[in-house]
Amino acid sequence: MRKGMLAAGVAVLAMVAGAAWAGDPASAITVDKQKAFAATLPMADNQDFAFADQGFLGTRTDPLIKRADGQVAWNLAAYDFLKGEPPATVNPSLWRQAQLLSKHGLFKVSDRVYQVRGFDISNITFVRGDSGWIVIDPLTMKETAQAALELVNDKLGVLPVKAVIYTHSHSDHFGGVRGVVDEADVKAGKVAIVAPEGFMREVAAENILAGNAMARRAQYQFGIMLPPGVEGQITSGIGQTIAKGSITLIPPTISIDHTGQELTLDGVKIRFQYTPSTEAPAEMNLYFPDLRILDMAENANVTMHNILTPRGALVRDSKAWADGLTESIRLFGDVSDTMITSHGWPRFGGAVVRDFLADHRDAYKYLHDQTVRMMNLGLTGDEIAARIQLPPALAKDWFNRGYYGSMSFNSRAVYQRYMGWYDANPAHLEPAPPADAGKRYVAAMGGAAKVKAMAKEAAEKGDYAWAATLLNHAVMADDGDKEAKTLLAAAYDQMGYQTENSLWRNIYLTGADELRGGVRKLPASMTPLDMLAALDSGMIFDVLSVRLNPDKAKDAHLRIVFVFPDRNERFLVEVRNGVLVAQPSPKSENGEGEKADATLTVARPVFLESLFTGKSLVPKILTGQVKLEGDRAALGRMTGWFDAFPTDFPIVTRPN
C-alpha cells in the first residue's frame, strides 16, 4: 500500500466519517451470484484461521482507543458484526478475509517475538532483546501504537524500547513512533531507529505534489466515509481501515543500504535484505538467524498487493518485486521456520513458508510476464485485463486472491509502466472530457430517457457494469438528473456487494453514497509538521510551483529571495511566463546576493507552518520575528497567485 504523506490527509478525512448509510439490499441476482461464487471457494482450507488464532494472549478491555481531544482514534468493537455466514451484501471470499483481519490483540509468535494485530491497518511487532523491546513498524498513529505498547506492558511486563525498525517508507509503518519512544531518548543514543537507505527521501517525496488529489481518491479506496457494516465498509484487504489519530515521525539513526548487512540490537542479531523499488521505493526484509524467523515486511502479504493503487501513485515494478521474492527464497527459504509480515498473520513451519514464498513470487512473475507477452502480441491494457487470470495452481492459494490488488487492475498497471496510457489507436489520441462525452453519447442514443431505459433493462438482467457505463454518461451529461443518479447508485451497490476486492467494494459503495447524498464538505488536510520537516527546501518550492495559477499571475515577472537562517539556506524564487522556478542562491564572495524585488528572512519551521496551515506571516513581520525587505507588497502579490486545492472535488458527478 503507497501511503506516504497521503496518510496525513486520510487521517483528517477519517475523523469526519460515520454518517448514516443508505445502500440498497442485495438483489435476487446478487444473492444467486454470491451462492455460486461461494461454491467455487476452497473452504476446506482453514489453515489461515489456525495461524491467525495461534498464540493469542488477550486484547484490550476497553475497545475504544482515544485521542487527546477525547475523540475515538480506533474502535476494536467496530467490526464485531463479522461473525457467522456471509450476508448477501458481501462477497463470501471477502467476508472470510474480513473475519481473519478483524482478530485483534496480542499474539505470541515465538518465545521472543510478539505481534499486536488489529489495532490499526498494519501490525506492530515486538522482539524481546536482552534488556528491552525492539519494535518493528509502529503503526500509523501515535495513539494506536501507544495502546499496543500498553497491552504488551500489561501482558508481558514493562520493558523499555531499545530500538525501532521501519521496514519501509509508508506511513502505516512509522507514523505511530512517538507512541512508543521519546525523541529525547533517540537523540541521547538510548534508542536506535533503523530504516532502509532512502527512507527519509521517499517519505518526503511520495505523494507530496499530487497529495490533494490522492487524498480525495483515497476516500474511495479505503471507504473512509462509509460506516462499518454489512452494506458498508468491512475491510481494506490487508487490514480493517486507517486509524483516526496523530501521524508522527522521528528520523532514523541507522541506515540499511545493502543485502547481507547485519546489526545486533539489544543482543538480537538481525540480517537484512535490501529491497528497493518493490512494494515501496525504500523497503527491506529482516531475518533473525538465531530465531529462524523471517520478516517479509510488505513484500509478501495475505492477498495479492497493488502494482498501482486505485487512489493513484507511481506504478511499481512487478518484475523487481518478483525478483526480490526469488532472492528471499534463496537467502532465507531453507533456514526459516516462521514468517511474519507487516499485515495479516504469520506462517508457521518451514515447508509452509517456502511454499508460500514460491507461490506468491510466481503470482507476481506470472502477472508481469503474461501481461508483457500479451502486450507484445498487440493486446491493449483493457484487453489484457479482461483475459488474464492466474493458473489454477496459483489461484487456489488464498493469499494470491485479489482482496487488495487484483490481476485485472495490476495488469493494466504493468501495461502502463511499459507503454503509458495511450493504446496506439488514433481515435484515442484526444478523448473528450467526461461531461462532453456524456452529452454526445446520450444524444446519440436518443436522449436521457432511452439511456435510462436501456440501463434498467441491463440491471434487470444483472449486467450492472453495462448499466453503470450507460448511467455514468447520463449523469455526466446532466448532473441534475436525480433518476440517473439513483439508478447509477443502485448499480454500484450491487457491484460493490459482488466484488471480491475490498478496494473495489469501497470505491463502488462510496460512489453510490456520493450519488445519493453529494460530496461531503471536508476540512483542509493537516499535514503533520513531523513529516513536513523531512522535506528538503527545494521540494517545498516544488509544492508551491504546482499551486501557481497562470491565469492569476498573468504576465507578471517577480523575484523574491527566501532566506532560512536556521539552515543557512537562500533560494531565489522567480515567477515568469506563468511558471515558478526556485534555485539555491548563495551570496557571492563580496557578500552580495541575487537582485530581487524582495527578500524574506524566516526560520524554516515558521515558513512551513505558514505554508501548510495558512497561518499569516504578517504578525511576525510586524514584530520583527520575520524580516521582509524591499518591495513589501511583492510577497502579497505572489501569494495571491496560488490556488487552494479543494478536498471535495467531484468524482462520480461533474458540475454543469
Side-chain angles (χ1 to χ4, degrees):
M1 175 168 125
R2 280 186 178 232
K3 288 128 326 221
M5 295 289 286
L6 166 74
V10 171
V12 175
L13 303 179
M15 293 177 189
V16 298
W21 175 246
D24 283 352
S27 68
I29 291 173
T30 293
V31 171
D32 290 341
K33 285 194 172 184
Q34 306 289 46
K35 291 178 181 178
F37 190 83
T40 69
L41 299 172
M43 286 299 193
D45 179 4
N46 288 316
Q47 185 183 77
D48 286 338
F49 285 93
F51 286 165
D53 288 333
Q54 183 167 327
F56 179 66
L57 299 177
T59 191
R60 278 174 60 100
T61 303
D62 182 358
L64 301 182
I65 300 171
K66 294 186 177 181
R67 306 195 304 259
D69 63 3
Q71 297 300 306
V72 175
W74 189 262
N75 181 1
L76 291 168
Y79 295 85
D80 284 352
F81 64 89
L82 289 164
K83 293 180 173 65
E85 295 300 310
T89 53
V90 183
N91 178 283
S93 178
L94 184 58
W95 179 261
R96 175 189 180 277
Q97 183 80 349
Q99 286 181 320
L100 286 161
L101 291 169
S102 69
K103 296 176 183 291
H104 56 80
L106 176 63
F107 296 82
K108 180 179 178 180
V109 177
S110 75
D111 288 341
R112 298 183 70 169
V113 178
Y114 300 82
Q115 286 190 316
V116 175
R117 304 199 288 269
F119 276 43
D120 207 320
I121 197 169
S122 53
N123 301 332
I124 181 171
T125 301
F126 294 83
V127 180
R128 190 190 293 272
D130 290 347
S131 60
W133 293 113
I134 301 164
V135 177
I136 304 173
D137 287 351
L139 304 182
T140 315
M141 305 295 171
K142 173 183 176 180
E143 295 82 359
T144 52
Q146 183 175 359
L149 180 60
E150 290 171 352
L151 179 61
V152 168
N153 288 340
D154 179 60
K155 298 293 184 182
L156 303 175
V158 178
L159 289 173
V161 173
K162 307 297 289 186
V164 175
I165 298 174
Y166 306 143
T167 61
H168 57 292
S169 52
H170 295 156
S171 60
D172 54 327
H173 306 276
F174 65 79
V177 64
R178 292 188 189 272
V180 295
V181 295
D182 188 324
E183 187 172 15
D185 289 335
V186 176
K187 290 181 176 179
K190 297 179 181 179
V191 179
I193 297 186
V194 184
E197 174 67 24
F199 173 85
M200 290 297 288
R201 179 180 65 250
E202 297 303 335
V203 167
E206 190 166 300
N207 305 322
I208 285 288
L209 297 182
N212 187 72
M214 289 183 181
R216 171 72 174 111
R217 288 170 54 149
Q219 295 174 55
Y220 277 66
Q221 173 169 320
F222 293 108
I224 289 168
M225 306 306 293
L226 304 175
V230 297
E231 293 178 357
Q233 199 267 357
I234 64 164
T235 183
S236 293
I238 54 173
Q240 291 160 298
T241 188
I242 297 175
K244 309 168 187 177
S246 310
I247 300 176
T248 61
L249 174 62
I250 299 175
T253 60
I254 300 174
S255 181
I256 302 301
D257 61 8
H258 66 275
T259 294
Q261 188 171 343
E262 290 190 357
L263 291 177
T264 299
L265 300 174
D266 196 31
V268 178
K269 184 184 292 185
I270 307 172
R271 189 173 302 143
F272 296 89
Q273 180 192 3
Y274 183 51
T275 62
S277 301
T278 51
E279 188 273 336
E283 188 152 355
M284 61 188 185
N285 300 325
L286 293 68
Y287 177 66
F288 299 86
D290 296 332
L291 307 177
R292 293 178 64 90
I293 292 177
L294 174 63
D295 184 340
M296 287 297 296
E298 204 166 331
N299 285 317
N301 293 278
V302 292
T303 169
M304 173 165 281
H305 209 289
N306 282 305
I307 302 302
L308 173 63
T309 61
R311 63 169 173 80
L314 297 178
V315 178
R316 296 163 184 169
D317 188 341
S318 54
K319 183 180 184 302
W321 198 329
D323 291 345
L325 289 170
T326 296
E327 184 179 59
S328 299
I329 296 167
R330 177 174 58 81
L331 294 173
F332 311 121
D334 292 332
V335 293
S336 298
D337 296 329
T338 303
M339 186 194 76
I340 59 176
T341 56
S342 298
H343 295 274
W345 48 92
R347 308 273 163 185
F348 298 97
V352 170
V353 172
R354 288 189 293 275
D355 288 346
F356 169 89
L357 289 174
D359 278 11
H360 211 44
R361 182 272 316 277
D362 290 350
Y364 289 110
K365 191 74 164 58
Y366 186 94
L367 165 73
H368 172 271
D369 293 353
Q370 295 310 307
T371 298
V372 174
R373 180 182 69 85
M374 287 188 269
M375 177 184 79
N376 282 312
L377 288 172
L379 275 68
T380 66
D382 289 344
E383 290 168 335
I384 295 168
R387 295 189 187 191
I388 193 166
Q389 292 183 353
L390 286 175
L394 296 176
K396 67 176 175 54
D397 296 322
W398 289 107
F399 52 79
N400 281 336
R401 300 190 76 92
Y403 303 116
Y404 192 60
S406 66
M407 289 295 288
S408 64
F409 202 99
N410 281 343
S411 65
R412 289 185 177 93
V414 176
Y415 184 93
Q416 179 181 324
R417 182 177 179 87
Y418 285 101
M419 306 300 290
W421 65 267
Y422 175 52
D423 64 2
N425 186 328
H428 301 153
L429 273 172
E430 194 175 10
D436 292 345
K439 291 174 182 177
R440 288 173 176 261
Y441 275 110
V442 169
M445 287 185 280
K450 287 190 176 181
V451 172
K452 287 181 282 188
M454 285 188 285
K456 289 177 184 178
E457 182 180 354
E460 288 170 358
K461 296 177 180 177
D463 193 353
Y464 298 114
W466 177 237
T469 299
L470 293 169
L471 292 164
N472 180 63
H473 285 309
V475 171
M476 290 295 167
D478 180 5
D479 189 57
D481 190 333
K482 293 183 179 180
E483 182 186 15
K485 287 183 178 179
T486 299
L487 291 170
L488 182 52
Y492 283 156
D493 281 342
Q494 304 308 317
M495 295 167 76
Y497 298 158
Q498 291 179 23
T499 183
E500 185 180 27
N501 188 280
S502 69
L503 304 189
W504 290 29
R505 176 187 175 91
N506 293 337
I507 290 165
Y508 285 134
L509 297 186
T510 299
D513 183 41
E514 292 192 356
L515 285 163
R516 292 186 175 102
V519 181
R520 301 175 199 176
K521 187 66 178 176
L522 299 168
S525 93
M526 299 180 293
T527 308
L529 292 179
D530 269 3
M531 297 176 74
L532 290 177
L535 293 170
D536 65 50
S537 297
M539 188 173 290
I540 293 172
F541 295 111
D542 288 341
V543 173
L544 284 176
S545 70
V546 299
R547 288 179 176 264
L548 184 73
N549 187 325
D551 293 332
K552 295 178 181 178
K554 299 186 184 301
D555 58 355
H557 188 184
L558 188 64
R559 293 157 62 92
I560 297 179
V561 171
F562 289 79
V563 181
F564 302 136
D566 53 316
R567 294 169 62 96
N568 194 29
E569 292 180 336
R570 290 170 54 91
F571 284 84
L572 172 65
V573 175
E574 182 175 18
V575 175
R576 60 192 300 272
N577 298 321
V579 173
L580 184 151
V581 177
Q583 53 188 318
S585 177
K587 286 187 176 180
S588 62
E589 292 182 2
N590 62 9
E592 294 182 357
E594 296 272 9
K595 292 183 180 180
D597 297 280
T599 299
L600 180 73
T601 304
V602 56
R604 204 182 81 138
V606 174
F607 179 66
L608 289 176
E609 182 183 34
S610 174
L611 178 61
F612 289 99
T613 68
K615 186 176 291 187
S616 175
L617 288 175
V618 172
K620 290 183 171 64
I621 292 173
L622 294 176
T623 61
Q625 184 178 350
V626 174
K627 188 176 180 181
L628 180 59
E629 302 171 280
D631 181 357
R632 296 174 69 89
L635 182 64
R637 291 201 302 276
M638 179 182 285
T639 56
W641 299 335
F642 298 120
D643 281 338
F645 293 143
T647 60
D648 57 352
F649 58 79
I651 291 178
V652 291
T653 59
R654 281 292 183 269
N656 289 329

PDB file of all heavy atoms in Angstrom, residues 432-448 451 469-478 654:
ATOM      1  N   ALA A 432     -12.543  13.005 -25.438  1.00  0.00           N
ATOM      2  CA  ALA A 432     -13.328  14.129 -24.928  1.00  0.00           C
ATOM      3  C   ALA A 432     -13.409  14.068 -23.416  1.00  0.00           C
ATOM      4  O   ALA A 432     -13.410  12.985 -22.826  1.00  0.00           O
ATOM      5  CB  ALA A 432     -14.732  14.087 -25.525  1.00  0.00           C
ATOM      6  N   PRO A 433     -13.491  15.210 -22.739  1.00  0.00           N
ATOM      7  CA  PRO A 433     -13.713  15.215 -21.288  1.00  0.00           C
ATOM      8  C   PRO A 433     -15.024  14.502 -20.955  1.00  0.00           C
ATOM      9  O   PRO A 433     -15.945  14.454 -21.788  1.00  0.00           O
ATOM     10  CB  PRO A 433     -13.782  16.702 -20.944  1.00  0.00           C
ATOM     11  CG  PRO A 433     -13.048  17.389 -22.050  1.00  0.00           C
ATOM     12  CD  PRO A 433     -13.332  16.567 -23.278  1.00  0.00           C
ATOM     13  N   PRO A 434     -15.159  13.925 -19.743  1.00  0.00           N
ATOM     14  CA  PRO A 434     -16.333  13.110 -19.408  1.00  0.00           C
ATOM     15  C   PRO A 434     -17.669  13.805 -19.628  1.00  0.00           C
ATOM     16  O   PRO A 434     -18.611  13.190 -20.137  1.00  0.00           O
ATOM     17  CB  PRO A 434     -16.110  12.776 -17.933  1.00  0.00           C
ATOM     18  CG  PRO A 434     -14.630  12.819 -17.765  1.00  0.00           C
ATOM     19  CD  PRO A 434     -14.154  13.906 -18.671  1.00  0.00           C
ATOM     20  N   ALA A 435     -17.779  15.080 -19.258  1.00  0.00           N
ATOM     21  CA  ALA A 435     -19.063  15.768 -19.417  1.00  0.00           C
ATOM     22  C   ALA A 435     -19.419  15.936 -20.893  1.00  0.00           C
ATOM     23  O   ALA A 435     -20.573  15.720 -21.295  1.00  0.00           O
ATOM     24  CB  ALA A 435     -19.022  17.126 -18.716  1.00  0.00           C
ATOM     25  N   ASP A 436     -18.441  16.293 -21.711  1.00  0.00           N
ATOM     26  CA  ASP A 436     -18.694  16.452 -23.146  1.00  0.00           C
ATOM     27  C   ASP A 436     -19.043  15.110 -23.782  1.00  0.00           C
ATOM     28  O   ASP A 436     -19.984  15.001 -24.589  1.00  0.00           O
ATOM     29  CB  ASP A 436     -17.470  17.042 -23.842  1.00  0.00           C
ATOM     30  CG  ASP A 436     -17.205  18.488 -23.444  1.00  0.00           C
ATOM     31  OD1 ASP A 436     -18.119  19.108 -22.854  1.00  0.00           O
ATOM     32  OD2 ASP A 436     -16.096  18.980 -23.704  1.00  0.00           O
ATOM     33  N   ALA A 437     -18.275  14.079 -23.436  1.00  0.00           N
ATOM     34  CA  ALA A 437     -18.556  12.755 -23.987  1.00  0.00           C
ATOM     35  C   ALA A 437     -19.933  12.276 -23.557  1.00  0.00           C
ATOM     36  O   ALA A 437     -20.674  11.689 -24.361  1.00  0.00           O
ATOM     37  CB  ALA A 437     -17.482  11.767 -23.529  1.00  0.00           C
ATOM     38  N   GLY A 438     -20.290  12.522 -22.308  1.00  0.00           N
ATOM     39  CA  GLY A 438     -21.592  12.101 -21.815  1.00  0.00           C
ATOM     40  C   GLY A 438     -22.725  12.714 -22.610  1.00  0.00           C
ATOM     41  O   GLY A 438     -23.687  12.019 -22.991  1.00  0.00           O
ATOM     42  N   LYS A 439     -22.641  13.993 -22.867  1.00  0.00           N
ATOM     43  CA  LYS A 439     -23.692  14.668 -23.628  1.00  0.00           C
ATOM     44  C   LYS A 439     -23.803  14.100 -25.044  1.00  0.00           C
ATOM     45  O   LYS A 439     -24.906  13.891 -25.557  1.00  0.00           O
ATOM     46  CB  LYS A 439     -23.400  16.167 -23.679  1.00  0.00           C
ATOM     47  CG  LYS A 439     -23.549  16.860 -22.327  1.00  0.00           C
ATOM     48  CD  LYS A 439     -23.116  18.322 -22.388  1.00  0.00           C
ATOM     49  CE  LYS A 439     -23.222  18.970 -21.014  1.00  0.00           C
ATOM     50  NZ  LYS A 439     -22.746  20.377 -21.002  1.00  0.00           N
ATOM     51  N   ARG A 440     -22.677  13.827 -25.670  1.00  0.00           N
ATOM     52  CA  ARG A 440     -22.695  13.308 -27.036  1.00  0.00           C
ATOM     53  C   ARG A 440     -23.245  11.882 -27.081  1.00  0.00           C
ATOM     54  O   ARG A 440     -24.018  11.525 -27.973  1.00  0.00           O
ATOM     55  CB  ARG A 440     -21.281  13.347 -27.633  1.00  0.00           C
ATOM     56  CG  ARG A 440     -20.806  14.766 -27.955  1.00  0.00           C
ATOM     57  CD  ARG A 440     -19.337  14.769 -28.373  1.00  0.00           C
ATOM     58  NE  ARG A 440     -18.908  16.104 -28.771  1.00  0.00           N
ATOM     59  CZ  ARG A 440     -18.816  16.526 -30.026  1.00  0.00           C
ATOM     60  NH1 ARG A 440     -19.146  15.712 -31.016  1.00  0.00           N
ATOM     61  NH2 ARG A 440     -18.417  17.752 -30.299  1.00  0.00           N
ATOM     62  N   TYR A 441     -22.836  11.049 -26.110  1.00  0.00           N
ATOM     63  CA  TYR A 441     -23.335   9.673 -26.071  1.00  0.00           C
ATOM     64  C   TYR A 441     -24.836   9.644 -25.817  1.00  0.00           C
ATOM     65  O   TYR A 441     -25.586   8.889 -26.455  1.00  0.00           O
ATOM     66  CB  TYR A 441     -22.606   8.865 -25.001  1.00  0.00           C
ATOM     67  CG  TYR A 441     -21.309   8.257 -25.460  1.00  0.00           C
ATOM     68  CD1 TYR A 441     -20.085   8.729 -24.987  1.00  0.00           C
ATOM     69  CD2 TYR A 441     -21.305   7.193 -26.365  1.00  0.00           C
ATOM     70  CE1 TYR A 441     -18.882   8.167 -25.407  1.00  0.00           C
ATOM     71  CE2 TYR A 441     -20.105   6.626 -26.789  1.00  0.00           C
ATOM     72  CZ  TYR A 441     -18.902   7.116 -26.311  1.00  0.00           C
ATOM     73  OH  TYR A 441     -17.718   6.556 -26.741  1.00  0.00           O
ATOM     74  N   VAL A 442     -25.285  10.460 -24.874  1.00  0.00           N
ATOM     75  CA  VAL A 442     -26.716  10.483 -24.558  1.00  0.00           C
ATOM     76  C   VAL A 442     -27.519  10.933 -25.775  1.00  0.00           C
ATOM     77  O   VAL A 442     -28.567  10.350 -26.100  1.00  0.00           O
ATOM     78  CB  VAL A 442     -26.988  11.391 -23.341  1.00  0.00           C
ATOM     79  CG1 VAL A 442     -28.487  11.645 -23.177  1.00  0.00           C
ATOM     80  CG2 VAL A 442     -26.428  10.756 -22.075  1.00  0.00           C
ATOM     81  N   ALA A 443     -27.031  11.958 -26.457  1.00  0.00           N
ATOM     82  CA  ALA A 443     -27.727  12.427 -27.651  1.00  0.00           C
ATOM     83  C   ALA A 443     -27.733  11.350 -28.736  1.00  0.00           C
ATOM     84  O   ALA A 443     -28.758  11.107 -29.397  1.00  0.00           O
ATOM     85  CB  ALA A 443     -27.062  13.706 -28.168  1.00  0.00           C
ATOM     86  N   ALA A 444     -26.606  10.676 -28.913  1.00  0.00           N
ATOM     87  CA  ALA A 444     -26.506   9.644 -29.946  1.00  0.00           C
ATOM     88  C   ALA A 444     -27.435   8.462 -29.666  1.00  0.00           C
ATOM     89  O   ALA A 444     -27.915   7.797 -30.595  1.00  0.00           O
ATOM     90  CB  ALA A 444     -25.069   9.162 -30.063  1.00  0.00           C
ATOM     91  N   MET A 445     -27.697   8.181 -28.378  1.00  0.00           N
ATOM     92  CA  MET A 445     -28.559   7.056 -28.010  1.00  0.00           C
ATOM     93  C   MET A 445     -30.031   7.436 -27.943  1.00  0.00           C
ATOM     94  O   MET A 445     -30.870   6.623 -27.562  1.00  0.00           O
ATOM     95  CB  MET A 445     -28.093   6.463 -26.674  1.00  0.00           C
ATOM     96  CG  MET A 445     -26.793   5.669 -26.794  1.00  0.00           C
ATOM     97  SD  MET A 445     -26.287   4.836 -25.256  1.00  0.00           S
ATOM     98  CE  MET A 445     -25.545   6.194 -24.366  1.00  0.00           C
ATOM     99  N   GLY A 446     -30.329   8.681 -28.282  1.00  0.00           N
ATOM    100  CA  GLY A 446     -31.732   9.069 -28.363  1.00  0.00           C
ATOM    101  C   GLY A 446     -32.271   9.814 -27.165  1.00  0.00           C
ATOM    102  O   GLY A 446     -33.488   9.954 -27.011  1.00  0.00           O
ATOM    103  N   GLY A 447     -31.378  10.293 -26.289  1.00  0.00           N
ATOM    104  CA  GLY A 447     -31.828  11.085 -25.154  1.00  0.00           C
ATOM    105  C   GLY A 447     -31.739  10.324 -23.839  1.00  0.00           C
ATOM    106  O   GLY A 447     -31.586   9.103 -23.793  1.00  0.00           O
ATOM    107  N   ALA A 448     -31.858  11.083 -22.751  1.00  0.00           N
ATOM    108  CA  ALA A 448     -31.670  10.530 -21.416  1.00  0.00           C
ATOM    109  C   ALA A 448     -32.687   9.444 -21.085  1.00  0.00           C
ATOM    110  O   ALA A 448     -32.359   8.443 -20.439  1.00  0.00           O
ATOM    111  CB  ALA A 448     -31.728  11.648 -20.381  1.00  0.00           C
ATOM    112  N   VAL A 451     -31.580   6.205 -22.583  1.00  0.00           N
ATOM    113  CA  VAL A 451     -30.384   5.703 -21.904  1.00  0.00           C
ATOM    114  C   VAL A 451     -30.777   5.040 -20.589  1.00  0.00           C
ATOM    115  O   VAL A 451     -30.323   3.934 -20.264  1.00  0.00           O
ATOM    116  CB  VAL A 451     -29.378   6.840 -21.656  1.00  0.00           C
ATOM    117  CG1 VAL A 451     -28.235   6.352 -20.769  1.00  0.00           C
ATOM    118  CG2 VAL A 451     -28.828   7.371 -22.976  1.00  0.00           C
ATOM    119  N   THR A 469     -22.117   1.898 -16.974  1.00  0.00           N
ATOM    120  CA  THR A 469     -21.495   2.628 -18.080  1.00  0.00           C
ATOM    121  C   THR A 469     -22.490   3.577 -18.729  1.00  0.00           C
ATOM    122  O   THR A 469     -22.187   4.750 -18.989  1.00  0.00           O
ATOM    123  CB  THR A 469     -20.948   1.640 -19.126  1.00  0.00           C
ATOM    124  OG1 THR A 469     -19.953   0.823 -18.516  1.00  0.00           O
ATOM    125  CG2 THR A 469     -20.339   2.376 -20.311  1.00  0.00           C
ATOM    126  N   LEU A 470     -23.698   3.067 -18.993  1.00  0.00           N
ATOM    127  CA  LEU A 470     -24.734   3.905 -19.600  1.00  0.00           C
ATOM    128  C   LEU A 470     -25.113   5.061 -18.677  1.00  0.00           C
ATOM    129  O   LEU A 470     -25.204   6.221 -19.108  1.00  0.00           O
ATOM    130  CB  LEU A 470     -25.971   3.049 -19.901  1.00  0.00           C
ATOM    131  CG  LEU A 470     -25.820   1.977 -20.981  1.00  0.00           C
ATOM    132  CD1 LEU A 470     -27.030   1.044 -20.975  1.00  0.00           C
ATOM    133  CD2 LEU A 470     -25.648   2.615 -22.355  1.00  0.00           C
ATOM    134  N   LEU A 471     -25.338   4.756 -17.430  1.00  0.00           N
ATOM    135  CA  LEU A 471     -25.808   5.770 -16.481  1.00  0.00           C
ATOM    136  C   LEU A 471     -24.724   6.784 -16.152  1.00  0.00           C
ATOM    137  O   LEU A 471     -25.034   7.954 -15.864  1.00  0.00           O
ATOM    138  CB  LEU A 471     -26.309   5.087 -15.210  1.00  0.00           C
ATOM    139  CG  LEU A 471     -27.593   4.272 -15.403  1.00  0.00           C
ATOM    140  CD1 LEU A 471     -27.817   3.333 -14.234  1.00  0.00           C
ATOM    141  CD2 LEU A 471     -28.798   5.204 -15.589  1.00  0.00           C
ATOM    142  N   ASN A 472     -23.465   6.365 -16.209  1.00  0.00           N
ATOM    143  CA  ASN A 472     -22.385   7.324 -15.999  1.00  0.00           C
ATOM    144  C   ASN A 472     -22.425   8.407 -17.074  1.00  0.00           C
ATOM    145  O   ASN A 472     -22.230   9.594 -16.784  1.00  0.00           O
ATOM    146  CB  ASN A 472     -21.037   6.609 -16.017  1.00  0.00           C
ATOM    147  CG  ASN A 472     -19.874   7.567 -15.804  1.00  0.00           C
ATOM    148  OD1 ASN A 472     -19.757   8.202 -14.766  1.00  0.00           O
ATOM    149  ND2 ASN A 472     -19.003   7.674 -16.802  1.00  0.00           N
ATOM    150  N   HIS A 473     -22.684   8.023 -18.309  1.00  0.00           N
ATOM    151  CA  HIS A 473     -22.818   9.028 -19.374  1.00  0.00           C
ATOM    152  C   HIS A 473     -23.998   9.954 -19.087  1.00  0.00           C
ATOM    153  O   HIS A 473     -23.911  11.172 -19.304  1.00  0.00           O
ATOM    154  CB  HIS A 473     -23.008   8.347 -20.726  1.00  0.00           C
ATOM    155  CG  HIS A 473     -21.752   7.752 -21.297  1.00  0.00           C
ATOM    156  ND1 HIS A 473     -20.577   8.461 -21.411  1.00  0.00           N
ATOM    157  CD2 HIS A 473     -21.497   6.515 -21.805  1.00  0.00           C
ATOM    158  CE1 HIS A 473     -19.648   7.702 -21.957  1.00  0.00           C
ATOM    159  NE2 HIS A 473     -20.173   6.506 -22.201  1.00  0.00           N
ATOM    160  N   ALA A 474     -25.099   9.393 -18.602  1.00  0.00           N
ATOM    161  CA  ALA A 474     -26.274  10.210 -18.322  1.00  0.00           C
ATOM    162  C   ALA A 474     -26.001  11.221 -17.213  1.00  0.00           C
ATOM    163  O   ALA A 474     -26.413  12.387 -17.297  1.00  0.00           O
ATOM    164  CB  ALA A 474     -27.455   9.315 -17.945  1.00  0.00           C
ATOM    165  N   VAL A 475     -25.310  10.782 -16.173  1.00  0.00           N
ATOM    166  CA  VAL A 475     -25.001  11.680 -15.061  1.00  0.00           C
ATOM    167  C   VAL A 475     -23.995  12.737 -15.485  1.00  0.00           C
ATOM    168  O   VAL A 475     -24.115  13.911 -15.122  1.00  0.00           O
ATOM    169  CB  VAL A 475     -24.483  10.879 -13.853  1.00  0.00           C
ATOM    170  CG1 VAL A 475     -23.956  11.808 -12.759  1.00  0.00           C
ATOM    171  CG2 VAL A 475     -25.590   9.987 -13.285  1.00  0.00           C
ATOM    172  N   MET A 476     -22.991  12.336 -16.264  1.00  0.00           N
ATOM    173  CA  MET A 476     -22.020  13.315 -16.732  1.00  0.00           C
ATOM    174  C   MET A 476     -22.665  14.329 -17.678  1.00  0.00           C
ATOM    175  O   MET A 476     -22.279  15.497 -17.715  1.00  0.00           O
ATOM    176  CB  MET A 476     -20.855  12.607 -17.437  1.00  0.00           C
ATOM    177  CG  MET A 476     -19.964  11.815 -16.506  1.00  0.00           C
ATOM    178  SD  MET A 476     -19.112  12.883 -15.330  1.00  0.00           S
ATOM    179  CE  MET A 476     -18.474  11.668 -14.168  1.00  0.00           C
ATOM    180  N   ALA A 477     -23.655  13.882 -18.434  1.00  0.00           N
ATOM    181  CA  ALA A 477     -24.352  14.790 -19.349  1.00  0.00           C
ATOM    182  C   ALA A 477     -25.233  15.773 -18.603  1.00  0.00           C
ATOM    183  O   ALA A 477     -25.393  16.921 -19.018  1.00  0.00           O
ATOM    184  CB  ALA A 477     -25.194  13.983 -20.338  1.00  0.00           C
ATOM    185  N   ASP A 478     -25.823  15.322 -17.481  1.00  0.00           N
ATOM    186  CA  ASP A 478     -26.745  16.178 -16.727  1.00  0.00           C
ATOM    187  C   ASP A 478     -26.617  15.848 -15.251  1.00  0.00           C
ATOM    188  O   ASP A 478     -27.208  14.888 -14.755  1.00  0.00           O
ATOM    189  CB  ASP A 478     -28.183  15.954 -17.201  1.00  0.00           C
ATOM    190  CG  ASP A 478     -29.183  16.831 -16.452  1.00  0.00           C
ATOM    191  OD1 ASP A 478     -28.747  17.676 -15.637  1.00  0.00           O
ATOM    192  OD2 ASP A 478     -30.395  16.657 -16.680  1.00  0.00           O
ATOM    193  N   ARG A 654     -20.207  15.612 -12.240  1.00  0.00           N
ATOM    194  CA  ARG A 654     -19.497  16.776 -12.740  1.00  0.00           C
ATOM    195  C   ARG A 654     -20.441  17.970 -12.659  1.00  0.00           C
ATOM    196  O   ARG A 654     -21.624  17.852 -12.992  1.00  0.00           O
ATOM    197  CB  ARG A 654     -19.069  16.580 -14.204  1.00  0.00           C
ATOM    198  CG  ARG A 654     -17.823  15.725 -14.365  1.00  0.00           C
ATOM    199  CD  ARG A 654     -16.590  16.439 -13.824  1.00  0.00           C
ATOM    200  NE  ARG A 654     -15.378  15.677 -14.024  1.00  0.00           N
ATOM    201  CZ  ARG A 654     -14.877  14.807 -13.167  1.00  0.00           C
ATOM    202  NH1 ARG A 654     -15.525  14.563 -12.044  1.00  0.00           N
ATOM    203  NH2 ARG A 654     -13.757  14.179 -13.410  1.00  0.00           N
TER     204      ARG A 654
END
